[in-house]
Amino acid sequence: MLTVDRLLTPTLAACLGITAGVHIALYMLNTTLPLHVVALGGSKTQVGLLFSVGAVVSMLLRPLVGGWIDRYGFRRVMLPGALVLVGTLLILPLAGTPTAFIVLMAGLGFGNGLISTGAGVLTAQASPPARRGEALSIYYVATSLSFAVGPPLGFTLYNGGGMRRCFQGAAVLGVAITGLILSLRAARPAAGSEPPFRWLSRRALPSAATVVAANVGYSSIYAFLPLYAVASGLDGNLGWFYAVFSACIIAGRLALRRLSDRIGRARVIVPALAVTTLSYLVLALPPRVPTLAAAAVLLGAGVAVFYPTLLALLVDRTSETERGSAIGTLSGSFDLGNVVGSLLVGLVVERVSFAAGFRVAAGGALLGLAVFLLAERRVAGRSVLPRPAAGV
């Protein structure tokens, strides 16, 4: 069980509330806005732009946010993000064309980039070093649960009062997030001790390269798996697959939340990447219910522990004056992997086959494992700061 008085401090509880709130609000809109935009006469391309605009803004912003946090502290960076988020949510009901919604999605991406990156950095900073892996696993459980809550809540509000009701619900969450940010008591850096601004953290680059490679196939399970199933004569309604996948992520993060704190980060990351590689190879097989179920369990298990553990390892080895920049760099690499992977796997699927696309995804995860092992070999025997007794 959680040791509340040692781990779940008011700061960590606020971070959980912040990340849950911002992701529930975004998932509410991401699942209902396409219906509204199509009703306004929007095209499929415009629906696609709804998602890509915000994602690109967040991707480019995250490394910058990390550097700003190192220099100015959490509240001074996260609060403007909350104000932009709430302001955008209040303006969205006034939009009347697909183009206007696409432009305003940049505001949501800006707010999400500042808020979620800041909350992640603060969680890593405020967690006890010997329980950092556990704290980050719980933090990402809140994000995963948001995916289970946001879409159903969005459709409930949409069916009950249309898109305006969804905007109102998201705005209420935005106000609550603002209140939680104002409640944070994390101090900003002392005067005269502000580190030089960094857009990217050099210390984070090996970890970022691992994430980009490992994430090549992630978007393919949403973009191409249903199409692969239909092309193979299976029902394309794979809601059960995503339910199993999500359940395994949540269960894995809860059940294994202390594993890397006890046995070491690398001993968790290596098998997680190996299992992820295997899951994509299973997905490359002709889709059948047993193989898809096995792939959902394997992929869920790998995803559950990989990113929180790699993030904990990076924080363990990064000085406090560079942690924001390092975490921002790693967060941006997650989005970059999705963008690169969707293009690469999509090209292979179009030119060769679905199976070849999933084998490329497996190759990306295997490459990520190789990059990680090479980076660990270079680190071996070299002094790193800070290095807690447990977890490295």
Side-chain angles (χ1 to χ4, degrees):
M1 293 180 62
L2 278 176
T3 308
V4 176
D5 58 341
R6 292 185 179 180
L7 185 65
L8 198 57
T9 62
T11 297
L12 291 177
C15 288
L16 293 178
I18 289 167
T19 191
V22 74
H23 284 96
I24 289 173
L26 292 176
Y27 286 135
M28 282 172 52
L29 297 181
N30 285 345
T31 51
T32 54
L33 259 180
L35 302 174
H36 187 61
V37 168
V38 168
L40 292 174
S43 65
K44 292 181 179 179
T45 299
Q46 288 175 316
V47 170
L49 286 173
L50 280 175
F51 297 95
S52 60
V53 167
V56 169
V57 170
S58 291
M59 179 183 71
L60 296 176
L61 197 61
R62 290 186 194 276
L64 293 170
V65 172
W68 291 337
I69 288 172
D70 288 334
R71 288 176 63 85
Y72 307 121
F74 299 97
R75 283 179 55 180
R76 292 183 64 184
V77 174
M78 295 171 66
L79 189 56
L83 296 178
V84 170
L85 179 70
V86 173
T88 303
L89 291 170
L90 293 176
I91 295 173
L92 276 170
L94 304 178
T97 66
T99 300
F101 281 108
I102 292 169
V103 171
L104 288 171
M105 290 300 284
L108 297 183
F110 182 89
N112 178 39
L114 267 66
I115 296 168
S116 60
T117 305
V121 174
L122 182 54
T123 299
Q125 291 274 49
S127 57
R131 300 184 68 182
R132 184 168 286 137
E134 180 181 6
L136 288 170
S137 292
I138 293 171
Y139 175 81
Y140 285 105
V141 165
T143 302
S144 302
L145 286 173
S146 301
F147 181 74
V149 173
L153 179 59
F155 283 121
T156 298
L157 293 175
Y158 184 80
N159 292 331
M163 202 64 221
R164 183 172 294 274
R165 188 66 57 84
C166 291
F167 293 142
Q168 291 171 348
V172 168
L173 287 172
V175 172
I177 291 165
T178 304
L180 288 172
I181 292 172
L182 289 171
S183 75
L184 295 174
R185 292 293 178 263
R188 58 160 292 172
S193 64
E194 292 179 352
F197 175 76
R198 305 176 181 90
W199 182 53
L200 292 173
S201 167
R202 291 182 61 186
R203 184 175 289 276
L205 291 180
S207 297
T210 299
V211 169
V212 170
N215 232 37
V216 160
Y218 190 73
S219 61
S220 66
I221 67 171
Y222 299 101
F224 301 115
L225 186 57
L227 298 176
Y228 190 21
V230 170
S232 300
L234 213 65
D235 185 356
N237 183 5
L238 296 180
W240 65 268
F241 173 91
Y242 301 107
V244 172
F245 173 54
S246 299
C248 287
I249 292 176
I250 295 170
R253 284 178 174 166
L254 287 173
L256 304 175
R257 64 185 186 273
R258 300 200 68 180
L259 186 61
S260 73
D261 293 328
R262 290 172 172 168
I263 70 172
R265 315 287 190 219
R267 291 179 180 177
V268 173
I269 293 169
V270 170
L273 287 172
V275 166
T276 300
T277 301
L278 179 60
S279 71
Y280 287 123
L281 291 175
V282 174
L283 285 174
L285 299 173
R288 298 291 183 269
V289 171
T291 60
L292 290 174
V297 172
L298 290 169
L299 187 59
V303 170
V305 296
F306 166 61
Y307 187 78
T309 307
L310 185 64
L311 179 56
L313 179 62
L314 177 63
V315 175
D316 290 342
R317 294 175 171 176
T318 306
S319 65
E320 290 190 10
T321 58
E322 194 181 345
R323 281 181 180 170
S325 178
I327 295 172
T329 299
L330 194 65
S331 298
S333 71
F334 188 91
D335 296 325
L336 179 60
N338 280 335
V339 172
V340 172
S342 61
L343 295 174
L344 177 61
V345 175
L347 180 63
V348 172
V349 166
E350 184 175 357
R351 298 285 181 88
V352 186
S353 66
F354 288 109
F358 285 109
R359 285 194 287 269
V360 168
L366 187 61
L367 177 61
L369 175 57
V371 170
F372 176 75
L373 291 174
L374 179 60
E376 286 300 287
R377 185 177 180 181
R378 294 181 63 183
V379 167
R382 198 169 61 190
S383 176
V384 290
L385 283 175
R387 191 168 196 165
V392 181

